[in-house]
Amino acid sequence: RHGDDRFPKRTKKRPLAVVTMPFTRNIELGRVCLVNLAADPLYGKLVTIVDFVDMNRVLVDSPSIQRCVISLRRLAVTSLVVDLAEEKSPSKETLAAALKAADVEGKWAASSWGTKIAKAAARKNLTDFDRYKVMVARVKRSALIKKALK
């Protein structure tokens, strides 16, 4: 009921909160992305956004691929950014120099996401005998842990 004096209004005001943006990985020039659609021929490759086509597609490039337009739905945005000096569509040489200066490959290999993908790729390439050796090592490790805990 509005205007009813039996129910006092809340007079306690909330303190002002610091507003932070919920996303830190924005789509921007120089943003490094991972192609994550398995049907795409570039699957698993790191690419850099070099230009925008429209709201849903970007122009990507990398030293190991040919420059192409790709949908943002096929990309997983990483936290890595290359400084392109706000230059749209840089040449291959400029992009390669910027990637090398930013040490993108090293940072990717050191990240938890990159190590997880590398570990999965290594396990995928194991032979039957390699998988057997891994199983034996796990059994030995668990036996040592059980012995230490007793």
Side-chain angles (χ1 to χ4, degrees):
R1 294 179 188 160
H2 297 290
D4 196 345
D5 291 333
R6 292 182 293 170
F7 302 105
K9 293 181 182 177
R10 275 180 73 185
T11 57
K12 186 177 179 181
K13 292 186 178 182
R14 294 181 185 170
L16 293 175
V18 177
V19 178
T20 58
M21 294 296 290
F23 305 109
T24 56
R25 296 177 179 179
N26 298 321
I27 306 297
E28 58 187 322
L29 289 179
R31 177 67 68 174
V32 178
C33 301
L34 179 73
V35 181
N36 65 355
L37 183 72
D40 198 304
L42 300 176
Y43 177 69
K45 298 221 186 248
L46 285 178
V47 295
T48 306
I49 297 174
V50 293
D51 204 352
F52 303 103
V53 177
D54 57 26
M55 289 292 289
N56 299 316
R57 297 180 300 159
V58 290
L59 186 68
V60 296
D61 197 4
S62 176
S64 62
I65 68 163
Q66 185 177 358
R67 187 171 289 201
C68 63
V69 174
I70 192 166
S71 172
L72 286 172
R73 292 180 183 207
R74 295 178 178 222
L75 297 178
V77 182
T78 68
S79 58
L80 304 172
V81 182
V82 177
D83 184 27
L84 297 178
E86 296 301 320
E87 180 184 349
K88 279 190 169 187
S89 301
S91 66
K92 277 276 202 197
E93 295 79 24
T94 306
L95 180 66
L99 288 171
K100 190 168 189 168
D103 188 30
V104 169
E105 292 294 330
K107 288 178 182 176
W108 176 251
S111 71
S112 60
W113 192 357
T115 54
K116 181 174 130 181
I117 290 175
K119 189 187 295 184
R123 284 190 177 184
K124 186 177 180 181
N125 292 330
L126 289 179
T127 63
D128 188 38
F129 186 59
D130 290 334
R131 284 191 292 276
Y132 171 77
K133 289 192 286 189
V134 168
M135 185 267 302
V136 169
R138 286 176 58 204
V139 167
K140 286 182 180 178
R141 185 184 74 184
S142 66
L144 287 173
I145 291 172
K146 284 181 183 176
K147 186 176 180 182
L149 290 176
K150 282 188 177 181

